[in-house]
Amino acid sequence: MSLKQKLVLLFLSILSIVNTDLTGQSVSDSSGYIVDIEHFTTLDGLSNRTVGCVFQDREDMMWIGTANGLNRFDGYHFKHWLGKNHGVDLRYILGITQDAEGWLWILTDKTIFLFNPTTEEFQTLAEKFGKDCILLKKNIYNCLVDNQGSIFLSTFDKSADRDLDSHYASDKDIYRYSLVEGLKEIKRPTELEHKSIYIKHLSLIHISEPT
């Protein structure tokens, strides 16, 4: 089985969207190609059974964020980084994306940090942007990337007592990080119109590149 096939099947197995009738069976995809389903669990090296997100990077590595640990799967083996052993809190990972420089942006229930998949170096926001970084005063609840590798962060003030399920993004702050401009707050809607980016709800940023 090829690496790509294994990564696809890992994705399906982790998200539990494979039909239960297919468990342990050989199945065919829409093209009629026969594949064998392989399931991966903590017994195979996954750090935790509670998975918050799955992301495939530019090198076709699969990254899995869990309730305890960041996991990398190369199609054959898992490697994981756990707990607070690397200067960052690797618990309750909710989202992973990759910027133009190749860094992974890893969103947790507490903050966001960066990870270089080549050097295996972690960076906190303070290390990346300095101790006066405005993001240190924000709760970050979403992180997405556009086709140019620019990162978009949805935030609100940590001092604000707000219900995430009942407030809309019109009174929240959005920040963009790009290699050229660095980190900057962007204003709606003028700076977003050229990318057709719009905010639908508090926890969602939708990015639609012009065709």
Side-chain angles (χ1 to χ4, degrees), residues 47-157:
S47 67
N48 190 276
R49 63 182 298 176
T50 302
V51 174
C53 60
V54 179
F55 175 77
Q56 188 173 8
D57 69 16
R58 298 186 195 121
E59 303 300 323
D60 289 333
M61 293 293 142
M62 191 69 80
W63 298 87
I64 304 103
T66 73
N68 185 26
L70 172 68
N71 297 254
R72 183 185 67 200
F73 183 66
D74 62 6
Y76 302 95
H77 306 288
F78 284 94
K79 180 174 182 177
H80 48 245
W81 295 261
L82 301 177
K84 297 182 178 180
N85 297 333
H86 304 276
V88 293
D89 191 344
L90 289 163
R91 297 173 296 176
Y92 302 106
I93 297 174
L94 305 177
I96 303 172
T97 192
Q98 189 172 32
D99 65 21
E101 300 166 88
W103 286 79
L104 300 181
W105 291 61
I106 301 172
L107 177 67
T108 73
D109 65 335
K110 301 295 184 184
T111 186
I112 195 167
F113 56 88
L114 289 80
F115 178 74
N116 188 315
T118 302
T119 64
E120 300 186 2
E121 171 192 359
F122 287 93
Q123 272 193 344
T124 64
L125 290 175
E127 291 170 335
K128 176 70 174 178
F129 299 111
K131 294 183 179 181
D132 295 329
C133 174
I134 185 63
L135 294 178
L136 297 176
K137 300 178 181 180
K138 301 286 185 177
N139 284 314
I140 302 170
Y141 55 85
N142 200 11
C143 176
L144 290 179
V145 64
D146 66 12
N147 288 346
Q148 285 73 49
S150 297
I151 297 291
F152 291 81
L153 304 170
S154 301
T155 74
F156 65 93
D157 290 336

Side-chain angles (χ1 to χ4, degrees), residues 6-14 40 62 64 73 78:
K6 285 190 175 185
L7 294 178
V8 170
L9 293 179
L10 171 69
F11 179 82
L12 294 175
S13 298
I14 288 178
F40 299 91
M62 191 69 80
I64 304 103
F73 183 66
F78 284 94

